[in-house]
Amino acid sequence: MISDRVKVGVQQAPHRSLFNALGFTEEEMKKPLIGIVSSYSEIIPGHMNLDKITEAVKLGVAEAGGMPVVVPAIAVCDGIAMGHVGMKYSLVTRDLIADSTECLAKAHGFDGLVMIPNCDKNVPGLLMAAARINIPTIFVSGGPMLAGHVDGRKRSLSSMFEAVGAYDAGKIDAAELRNFEENVCPTCGSCSGMYTANSMNCLTEAIGMGLRGNGTIPAVYSARIRLAKHAGNQIMTLVKNNVCPRDIMTREAFLNALTVDMALGCSTNTMLHLPAIAHEAGIEINMEIANEVSARTPNLCHLAPAGPTYMEDLNEAGGVYAVMKELAKKDLLSLDLPTVTGKTMRENIENAENRNPEVIRPIDHPYMPNGGIAVLKGNLAPDTGIVKRSAVVPEMMVHEGPARVFDCEEDAIKAITTGKIVPGDVVVIRYEGPKGGPGMREMLNPTSAIAGMGLGSTVALITDGRFSGASRGASIGHVSPEAAVGGPIALVHEGDRILIDIPNNRLELKVSDEELARRKAEWKPRQPKITDGYLRRYCALVTSGNTGAILKLPDEQ
């Protein structure tokens, strides 16, 4: 066992004395040491129930003959961090989570790991750690929130942000806004639509690192506690058989995850996280592959914010395995791959059933013939621009309009909420990329303001930052190269014409090559907005959004 290095032998007598101080018995020290990485927190609704999940996992581990040891992982609530300096500290935690988990596992000689994440950067950060550490590992998340109800309709956090825009536009009054405020987030759990947290938790099933239901069983269901106990049991089987993350997270498994991503209509943030996780596993996933996968994968689900259904509906319809069962009918998945269940993916989905063909469309009757995410390229985005195609209204699939240029999110929000943005405009928000932010803020506030003010079918938004999974509309993010490194988005002038052509994967600035070259020659780099603390180091190490915003030493970039 790996843990023998801290438990066995004369030289380990001091180590054992410290285990004695922890209350370990001699019998417990002979068992495999299982690190339970708990992201429990009292500041995040998606994490406030993780103490219950953690206790259930501990019971499962102990029952199966292991010695569970709980260690922490941090997380940030993107909703609370949204729209201010706090959002600069969201994406950057993904690498802190991976690094700190590596340190804890390596320093203490764990034989296996149970990862207990739930929210946005927490899930990919722990998947990155799992691939990097590569000891037997299983995931069990905290589960999604139930949808709220306002005036007889299901609602979620995206509805709340859009209600603010409606209030600013005079469409609802303060009492109606308060009604949303009190009712859209009714329980603990990750916010109830197909936002980033739920997208990534669903993809843990698709990639083979989580048990059935990990992505969809609501946080408040007792089935979530049973799932946690089963995960605790199963880690001991993985340790016994030495099944490690890189045995499961192969290139084919990542392609499965991308395929399920397109079918579900996941958050655009998966286009940051999947390449970063793959990088830790020694696999390159570039965005060209994403368009290839999207071209052959129909979009089967329209969960909020793309449609009126929520995670609880997906769970009742059969969950991720039911989606995979539909995809398998067209041979769109590699099924003979190992998973943490101890079975192949083919065996996992054998008994899955699509119980609601409106929540999960049959493969022959999809919402769209291609995937939920598109990668756009052109002279405005030579590397990539990412859009959640499944959440764009038909009339905005092709759009041309004048650029309204802002060098930070706050200036754009002020212009939107004061009526300075009009139908036909293309809002450009730059210097919000991984280096320029620094930290690549989510733009849920401006996209929600646009939707809430009734401009969702006439105004587009383009940024080198990124979007919340709760964003909808013609919102194109991850534009690379970013403005901070002199990408073409830095060269856009007020009033320039911009063409968005989602069906043809194009994003064009209607300016001649000669004029762009002249502007480029005049462009000067800007000092990052924050130049101290962790963000200073992050800014120096982070790479482009189209590479997953992974960290590299300066001489590697």
Side-chain angles (χ1 to χ4, degrees):
M1 291 190 294
I2 297 171
S3 60
D4 285 352
R5 70 181 65 155
V6 296
K7 296 189 304 186
V8 176
V10 173
Q11 297 302 316
Q12 279 64 44
H15 306 66
R16 290 194 297 275
S17 71
L18 292 168
F19 281 115
N20 286 334
L22 287 167
F24 277 42
T25 66
E26 186 175 347
E27 292 77 16
E28 287 172 330
M29 278 190 258
K30 294 176 181 177
K31 298 176 180 179
L33 189 61
I34 307 300
I36 300 175
V37 185
S38 174
S39 305
Y40 171 71
S41 168
E42 293 185 345
I43 193 61
I44 308 173
H47 291 215
M48 62 182 286
N49 66 321
L50 296 191
D51 56 342
K52 308 290 190 302
I53 303 295
T54 300
E55 287 303 312
V57 169
K58 287 176 66 177
L59 285 171
V61 169
E63 180 184 50
M67 183 58 204
V69 180
V70 179
V71 294
I74 67 164
V76 163
C77 178
D78 280 17
I80 294 174
M82 195 72 66
H84 58 94
V85 69
M87 182 46 69
K88 295 179 186 291
Y89 290 89
S90 172
L91 178 61
V92 305
T93 63
R94 186 184 70 180
D95 296 276
L96 282 173
I97 291 162
D99 292 348
S100 60
T101 303
E102 174 194 359
C103 292
L104 285 166
K106 295 285 189 180
H108 298 106
F110 293 142
D111 296 301
L113 295 167
V114 181
M115 305 296 200
I116 308 179
N118 212 28
C119 289
D120 295 24
K121 308 316 151 311
N122 195 233
V123 185
L126 290 177
L127 281 165
M128 289 166 65
R132 186 188 303 174
I133 301 163
N134 202 35
I135 61 174
T137 303
I138 194 169
F139 277 69
V140 55
S141 76
M145 182 184 292
L146 294 179
H149 292 81
V150 177
D151 298 329
R153 293 178 56 192
K154 285 187 176 182
R155 299 286 191 171
S156 63
L157 185 65
S158 56
S159 309
M160 183 69 252
F161 277 90
E162 290 178 15
V164 174
Y167 175 80
D168 288 335
K171 294 177 181 293
I172 63 173
D173 61 22
E176 291 172 296
L177 182 66
R178 183 63 181 267
N179 189 25
F180 274 87
E181 184 179 332
E182 292 180 345
N183 292 292
V184 297
C185 296
T187 73
C188 63
S190 48
C191 297
S192 56
M194 187 53 79
Y195 309 149
T196 305
N198 292 326
S199 295
M200 291 306 304
N201 281 322
C202 285
L203 295 187
T204 61
E205 290 189 59
I207 208 168
M209 290 297 294
L211 299 179
R212 181 176 188 169
N214 185 56
T216 60
I217 297 172
V220 296
Y221 284 13
S222 297
R224 176 65 56 179
I225 300 297
R226 297 196 297 272
L227 181 75
K229 292 177 182 177
H230 288 313
N233 288 161
Q234 189 60 21
I235 188 59
M236 298 311 301
T237 301
L238 296 173
V239 169
K240 177 182 177 181
N241 296 327
N242 195 32
V243 178
C244 297
R246 292 194 190 186
D247 300 324
I248 294 169
M249 290 196 284
T250 62
R251 181 176 181 79
E252 292 76 16
F254 279 101
L255 291 177
N256 278 354
L258 267 173
T259 302
V260 174
D261 186 331
M262 297 299 173
L264 285 171
C266 289
S267 163
T268 53
N269 283 313
T270 60
M271 298 294 102
L272 283 174
H273 300 322
L274 286 175
I277 299 160
H279 175 75
E280 295 290 351
I283 298 165
E284 182 182 353
I285 298 291
N286 62 52
M287 292 302 96
E288 310 302 323
I289 295 175
N291 268 350
E292 293 173 17
V293 173
S294 182
R296 62 176 180 259
T297 307
N299 177 231
L300 304 182
C301 301
H302 264 194
L303 288 94
T309 53
Y310 293 81
M311 294 305 297
E312 62 205 64
D313 302 311
L314 178 60
N315 186 63
E316 291 167 11
V320 175
Y321 280 12
V323 174
M324 297 182 78
K325 186 78 171 283
E326 291 290 345
L327 294 170
K329 293 176 182 178
K330 296 286 188 180
D331 297 321
L332 294 173
L333 299 171
S334 297
L335 296 177
D336 296 316
L337 302 179
T339 71
V340 293
T341 68
K343 301 176 181 178
T344 66
M345 191 60 76
R346 185 184 303 279
E347 293 172 305
N348 286 347
I349 68 172
E350 184 178 1
N351 296 320
E353 178 186 356
N354 182 356
R355 296 191 289 268
N356 189 331
E358 281 306 306
V359 176
I360 303 171
R361 285 284 183 89
I363 193 76
D364 292 321
H365 182 53
Y367 281 101
M368 298 191 310
N370 42 27
I373 292 175
V375 179
L376 311 185
K377 298 186 77 170
N379 69 343
L380 185 52
D383 293 334
T384 57
I386 307 291
V387 63
K388 188 170 183 175
R389 174 168 43 198
S390 60
V392 179
V393 294
E395 53 266 41
M396 289 298 288
M397 287 291 186
V398 178
H399 177 78
E400 182 175 332
R404 305 298 308 280
V405 183
F406 305 93
D407 288 347
C408 66
E409 178 189 4
E410 287 83 356
D411 289 348
I413 293 171
K414 184 177 180 180
I416 295 165
T417 57
T418 55
K420 294 179 181 177
I421 302 302
V422 300
D425 284 348
V426 179
V427 176
V428 176
I429 306 177
R430 61 193 181 189
Y431 295 100
E432 291 284 9
K435 285 185 179 292
M440 203 177 187
R441 286 195 287 183
E442 290 184 346
M443 300 291 160
L444 180 57
N445 271 357
T447 58
S448 297
I450 288 169
M453 297 188 76
L455 298 171
S457 61
T458 58
V459 170
L461 194 155
I462 297 171
T463 181
D464 54 6
R466 60 196 178 92
F467 296 108
S468 165
S471 293
R472 62 185 176 99
S475 304
I476 298 145
H478 307 201
V479 170
S480 303
E482 63 174 291
V485 298
I489 193 171
L491 312 178
V492 181
H493 285 185
E494 184 82 7
D496 285 348
R497 303 291 293 183
I498 293 176
L499 171 65
I500 299 165
D501 185 351
I502 295 173
N504 291 302
N505 304 112
R506 300 298 296 169
L507 184 60
E508 296 285 346
L509 179 63
K510 295 292 191 173
V511 173
S512 69
D513 292 344
E514 293 77 16
E515 173 62 13
L516 283 177
R518 185 189 67 78
R519 294 181 187 180
K520 177 69 173 178
E522 295 177 352
W523 177 81
K524 290 182 174 55
R526 300 187 180 196
Q527 183 81 347
K529 298 179 182 75
I530 295 179
T531 57
D532 60 1
Y534 177 58
L535 287 183
R536 176 174 177 270
R537 300 196 300 277
Y538 183 85
C539 183
L541 299 176
V542 71
T543 59
S544 174
N546 74 301
T547 65
I550 60 174
L551 303 187
K552 290 185 177 181
L553 295 173
D555 60 354
E556 297 175 331
Q557 295 184 24

